[in-house]
Amino acid sequence: MAEQEFTLLEKWRGTAYSNQMTKQQSDMFWGNYFNIEKGIYQQILSTPDEVVTGTVKELAERFGTDLMIMVGFLDGINDSLTTPNPIEEMTEDTTVSLCYDKELLYKNMVEARAEWLYTLEEWNPLITEERRAELYKEQKRAHTVVKGEKIGRNDPCPCGSGKKYKKCCGR
């Protein structure tokens, strides 16, 4: 029987989210990953006008990291790109682009609670401090549930029938 081939993304996720790791191993793995991720973001944010492109393997070499770490990075940044990469089926020879939307990337970092990324000083020349504060609030508000005013049983029915709510839609 043929052995199942896994895509790079499946291999990355299988490793990164493995339940075979102890808590200590997981903490070490993610601590290392976040440190490398921070370094890559510092590089790409410091040259915002340069659109970084290349094969997955070339980008791993360019940023001095392991192929699987680069796959994880591409998985993380994909939702912030102007044109998402084909991460589901990419190979090490797939050409990818890191052309990102600055504000969307910032908001996604806030969404991920990645304070070590959205507080990087490389953001300073890209987005004003005031705008970053607005984006932060927008992102946090996006998940705040606001309940509408409750209809009392003796209030007029909101459907417009003229009946009391309890005699109409409130049954």
Side-chain angles (χ1 to χ4, degrees), residues 41-148:
Y41 275 117
Q42 286 173 314
Q43 290 180 58
I44 66 173
L45 292 173
S46 64
T47 56
D49 298 328
E50 177 189 352
V51 177
V52 178
T53 58
T55 66
V56 177
K57 186 177 182 179
E58 289 169 347
L59 291 185
E61 290 168 4
R62 176 180 175 166
F63 292 110
T65 191
D66 169 291
L67 182 69
M68 282 293 110
I69 296 289
M70 182 50 61
V71 171
F73 180 83
L74 291 169
D75 186 20
I77 197 173
N78 210 45
D79 290 341
S80 304
L81 301 177
T82 55
T83 305
N85 289 312
I87 61 168
E88 297 292 334
E89 61 270 344
M90 72 183 170
T91 67
E92 63 182 44
D93 298 321
T94 303
T95 300
V96 293
S97 169
L98 298 182
C99 183
Y100 57 93
D101 176 310
K102 289 183 286 208
E103 291 192 353
L104 181 58
L105 178 59
Y106 187 83
K107 287 172 78 171
N108 285 341
M109 288 174 171
V110 171
E111 164 87 19
R113 296 186 180 104
E115 188 174 346
W116 65 95
L117 297 176
Y118 67 79
T119 58
L120 289 171
E121 61 185 50
E122 285 78 6
W123 281 111
N124 295 342
L126 299 179
I127 305 174
T128 65
E129 194 174 333
E130 295 79 24
R131 182 64 183 142
R132 287 195 312 265
E134 288 172 20
L135 292 170
Y136 183 90
K137 285 179 187 169
E138 280 176 29
Q139 186 57 44
K140 291 298 186 181
R141 256 195 319 263
H143 296 287
T144 303
V145 177
V146 180
K147 290 185 178 180

